[in-house]
Amino acid sequence: MEPTIITIETPSLGDRSYLAHDGDVAFVVDPQRDIDRVLAAADEAGVRITDVFETHIHNDYVTGGLALARRLGARYHVNAEDEVSFGREPIRDGDVVEVSPVMRVRAIATPGHTFTHLSYAMESVTDSGATDSAVFTGGSLLFGAAGRPDLLGRDHTGNLVRHQFASIHRLVDELSESAEVLPTHGFGSFCSAGSTGGATESTIAEEKRRNPALTQTEEQWVADTLAGLDAYPAYYVHMSPANAAGPDAADLSAPERADKDTLAQRIDAGEWVVDLRTRTAFAAGHVAGTLSFGLDGQFSTYLGWLIPWEARVTLLGETSEQVAEAQREMARIGLDRIAGAATGAPQDWTDRPLETLETAAFADLSQVRHHRPVHVLDVRLAGEYADGHVEGAQNVPIGELLDRFDEIPQRELWVHCGSGYRASIAASLLSARGHRVVLVDDAFDNAGAAGLPITD
């Protein structure tokens, strides 16, 4: 039987995990902490997992690899050079793992995202020999891009970016053009350097045609890659130590119920009480002092970016399913300090008057600026701002907002980002601190057409 590969998506983090099987036994690559998804996929396929592989010590999520391997008694393959505090099957460049008579995995050293990064070529074995049918590339070769080389700090970026270039070339030199490319990052993940262009699948042949690392000279690619690097989420600093220590599986048991009095006390104490509804629902009516982190966007990425790491969180959702989804998202990045939760509507959460948040489009902003002075706050990344921004707008990237509150004037604020999601988070944080805020819930591409002057 030709091996089958099942993709397990985590859109909110821009990542993928994989389950590959031959109809009987299976292996897993880069599982996330909520391992029940992997177990369910294996159960549905009717296969048993014997091996778990990590491409690298991850920087953007807490792994479920160790917990999965321990639960199943599977072999846990982690680079022999990685310094970890748990038992593992050490694996090195060139090692081959016989998963089954028709399926084996070969490790390929591909430093660049980290110094010890490995990719894994899956070889299908037949009577006529073995062929590499797929390669799990982790944070090395992505769809039309590469894993970013700066997550280990500036001192290492110069070396890692050149390692990355060499690693990508090694993959295309050693693997057949028909081999599927199966990266972990690159679907909205901040671990990506460069745009993946929305691709959902690729092969070695396709990457040779379109990936800049394979169509440009090394010097040009290195220069472009370094110039394109921008900020990444603050929570990343906690991920590698957690993964090297060997994290447990996620605890997804329901949080305690928080009543109105408890919510009021926590809001008054300055705790993080997070509203999971859409930004439209939040704007229409919310509990004063609560913060808007809608589940319809990259919820865990931005919550993890902004929240003080040891802070407790109370979740407000329309349903228990919404709270459970948020809890799962948080567990993936190690945010386990959930103080409680409440469900229903804002009037179920407080006896105080509800607050609203004014929303507008860029066309409204264009009209308003003809009549009165307003302050435009752009919370996009610095690179986005540099590529084009509303003339006179102040740029405070969303990840820097808490540290730069003092720089934002006490004036009427019109807050925008690229689509409205990040701006809604920023608007709720600013409103909770007493600012008068208008949320520009609109795509930035509409700003110029609305008559606003755009400059770079």
Side-chain angles (χ1 to χ4, degrees):
M1 174 181 176
E2 184 73 18
T4 297
I5 299 171
I6 298 171
T7 301
I8 301 171
E9 304 267 6
T10 307
S12 60
L13 294 177
D15 289 329
R16 288 178 172 181
S17 303
Y18 300 95
L19 173 78
H21 70 85
D22 65 359
D24 180 23
V25 301
F27 67 89
V28 176
V29 179
D30 289 347
Q32 297 203 345
R33 194 180 180 201
D34 50 330
I35 61 175
D36 59 323
R37 294 188 297 162
V38 179
L39 294 169
D43 184 62
E44 184 176 353
V47 297
R48 55 189 175 89
I49 298 167
T50 60
D51 294 87
V52 181
F53 296 87
E54 298 283 8
T55 58
H56 59 293
I57 302 297
H58 301 283
N59 288 288
D60 67 328
Y61 66 85
V62 176
T63 182
L66 180 61
L68 180 64
R70 283 178 172 171
R71 175 162 177 169
L72 299 175
R75 294 178 291 185
Y76 188 35
H77 304 278
V78 177
N79 194 322
E81 302 304 316
D82 282 321
E83 296 183 6
V84 296
S85 59
F86 51 84
R88 38 82 190 271
E89 290 281 336
I91 190 167
R92 297 175 175 83
D93 181 41
D95 287 352
V96 176
V97 178
E98 303 283 348
V99 179
S100 79
V102 298
M103 186 171 60
R104 67 190 190 194
V105 175
R106 176 167 57 91
I108 305 171
T110 47
H113 191 47
T114 68
F115 283 107
T116 55
H117 190 284
L118 294 172
S119 295
Y120 297 104
M122 184 180 76
E123 299 179 348
S124 301
V125 183
T126 63
D127 292 340
S128 57
T131 57
D132 48 298
S133 55
V135 58
F136 301 92
T137 56
S140 182
L141 176 63
L142 311 184
F143 294 164
R148 63 189 301 161
D150 62 329
L151 297 183
L152 301 186
R154 294 182 180 178
D155 291 345
H156 301 298
T157 302
N159 286 332
L160 284 171
V161 70
R162 293 187 182 276
H163 280 310
Q164 189 72 293
F165 184 86
S167 292
I168 289 172
H169 279 260
R170 180 185 179 186
L171 288 174
V172 300
D173 289 344
E174 292 190 8
L175 299 171
S176 63
E177 291 198 341
S178 61
E180 283 188 86
V181 176
L182 301 170
T184 300
H185 305 313
F187 310 95
S189 169
F190 279 87
C191 282
S192 175
S195 171
T196 58
T200 58
E201 60 184 25
S202 189
T203 62
I204 290 293
E206 181 64 23
E207 291 308 308
K208 287 174 72 174
R209 285 192 294 270
R210 70 187 181 103
N211 196 301
L214 299 166
T215 61
Q216 296 179 340
T217 65
E218 179 175 359
E219 294 307 315
Q220 184 62 59
W221 183 80
V222 166
D224 289 351
T225 299
L226 295 180
L229 295 174
D230 211 327
Y232 53 83
Y235 79 85
Y236 276 24
V237 69
H238 301 284
M239 298 298 95
S240 180
N243 288 322
D248 295 330
D251 178 4
L252 300 178
S253 54
E256 292 183 7
R257 179 181 175 275
D259 59 21
K260 291 180 180 180
D261 289 340
T262 300
L263 292 173
Q265 291 168 10
R266 290 176 181 171
I267 292 169
D268 292 344
E271 292 189 22
W272 282 59
V273 180
V274 171
D275 191 324
L276 304 170
R277 299 173 302 148
T278 66
R279 58 185 180 271
T280 301
F282 182 87
H286 59 270
V287 180
T290 59
L291 307 174
S292 176
F293 285 82
L295 279 174
D296 57 333
Q298 287 184 281
F299 164 76
S300 52
T301 293
Y302 289 105
L303 181 62
W305 200 330
L306 287 163
I307 191 170
W309 195 246
E310 298 303 323
R312 300 193 313 162
V313 183
T314 301
L315 301 173
L316 304 177
E318 294 169 320
T319 63
S320 57
E321 289 78 14
Q322 205 171 53
V323 170
E325 181 183 350
Q327 183 178 8
R328 180 180 293 270
E329 293 281 359
M330 292 169 62
R332 289 172 181 156
I333 63 170
L335 286 176
D336 297 326
R337 292 164 297 282
I338 299 179
T343 56
Q347 55 266 31
D348 300 318
W349 304 331
T350 186
D351 290 324
R352 301 173 181 177
L354 298 182
E355 289 194 352
T356 59
L357 179 64
E358 184 178 351
T359 62
F362 279 108
D364 300 310
L365 175 58
S366 180
Q367 291 298 315
V368 164
R369 295 205 338 170
H370 291 301
H371 302 290
R372 65 179 187 271
V374 298
H375 188 78
V376 180
L377 182 65
D378 182 339
V379 297
R380 296 176 301 155
L381 295 175
E384 294 175 276
Y385 181 84
D387 287 341
H389 58 269
V390 175
E391 188 176 279
Q394 179 188 16
N395 181 222
V396 179
I398 184 71
E400 301 175 19
L401 186 64
L402 293 180
D403 294 327
R404 296 177 60 185
F405 266 131
D406 292 345
E407 299 177 29
I408 301 170
Q410 285 285 351
R411 295 172 53 191
E412 181 181 340
L413 300 177
W414 286 59
V415 185
H416 80 85
C417 60
S419 65
Y421 184 79
R422 289 172 290 178
S424 70
I425 296 170
S428 70
L429 287 162
L430 289 160
S431 178
R433 295 213 175 187
H435 283 272
R436 181 186 173 192
V437 183
V438 177
L439 166 62
V440 181
D441 191 6
D442 197 0
F444 181 73
D445 290 345
N446 296 328
L452 290 164
I454 305 299
T455 186
D456 53 23

